[in-house]
Amino acid sequence: AFACCLWGCMRLGMVVARVRGVGNLRESGSGNIGATNVLRTGSKLAAFLTVVFDAGKGAVAVLVARAMFGEAAAQVAALASFVGHCFPIWLGFKGGKGVATFLGILLALFWPAGIAACLSWLGTAIIARISSLSALVASAASIGWVWVFGMPTAVGLTIVLTALIWWRHRENIGRIV
């Protein structure tokens, strides 16, 4: 679990932003290191790469743990990598909001629910045009998707991850309301 937490702490969005010449994300836009703030810098490619790498970070943790130790370990790895992403040690526990990592975890843990959550995000984004609202809807819907598509053993984990996403979005929720 500790290794997965450290794995989750990798700041891939910051690396992509620096390589693409976007600059220090902590000093631009919202100050967040996630893909939405990378997109605010004007680099669609850097934002896309940040989403891919952050989702991949969660997916790799799940897939490696599952291959080595089984399904229960995959869920522990999912939680640990997610917590590491949201609360990285070397950034004073101020990381991303976890949406891309969450979607990567869902896709690796149980891909039908992951696809449904991604489509929930996309549908909300098209209608509302608010990234944070899309994240909140997709994460909440994912609890139902995991259950409906037949992986009830992952419902508890999905509830915990969704609660963390909502906690990380608490300022956004205030603005949306």
Side-chain angles (χ1 to χ4, degrees), residues 2 29 39 49 58 61 65 79 112-113 116 126 130 138 164 167 170 175:
F2 182 71
L39 184 60
L49 291 173
L79 179 60
I126 289 170
I130 302 171
L164 286 169
W167 172 255
R170 62 193 181 279
R175 286 191 293 273

Side-chain angles (χ1 to χ4, degrees), residues 65-149:
R66 178 184 284 148
M68 294 177 70
F69 305 108
E71 193 59 39
Q75 291 194 33
V76 170
L79 179 60
S81 65
F82 186 84
V83 168
H85 174 82
C86 292
F87 306 101
I89 298 165
W90 33 79
L91 288 179
F93 302 101
K94 295 177 184 173
K97 293 186 178 171
V99 179
T101 305
F102 173 73
L103 293 173
I105 285 167
L106 272 182
L107 287 166
L109 196 60
F110 191 58
W111 68 267
I115 296 283
C118 289
L119 292 174
S120 298
W121 185 95
L122 182 62
T124 306
I126 289 170
I127 293 167
R129 307 199 50 83
I130 302 171
S131 178
S132 56
L133 179 62
S134 302
L136 295 168
V137 168
S139 64
S142 69
I143 299 165
W145 294 130
V146 169
W147 181 266
V148 166
F149 286 120

Side-chain angles (χ1 to χ4, degrees), residues 9-94:
C9 287
M10 287 192 313
R11 305 306 350 139
L12 300 171
M14 293 180 76
V15 172
V16 167
R18 289 234 168 105
V19 168
R20 298 285 309 152
V22 172
N24 185 351
L25 294 175
R26 305 297 271 179
E27 297 173 358
S28 64
S30 67
N32 192 284
I33 59 173
T36 301
N37 198 41
V38 175
L39 184 60
R40 285 186 189 113
T41 67
S43 177
K44 290 179 183 175
L45 177 60
F48 173 76
L49 291 173
T50 300
V51 168
V52 169
F53 290 147
D54 283 348
K57 181 171 48 176
V60 166
V62 167
L63 294 173
V64 169
R66 178 184 284 148
M68 294 177 70
F69 305 108
E71 193 59 39
Q75 291 194 33
V76 170
L79 179 60
S81 65
F82 186 84
V83 168
H85 174 82
C86 292
F87 306 101
I89 298 165
W90 33 79
L91 288 179
F93 302 101
K94 295 177 184 173

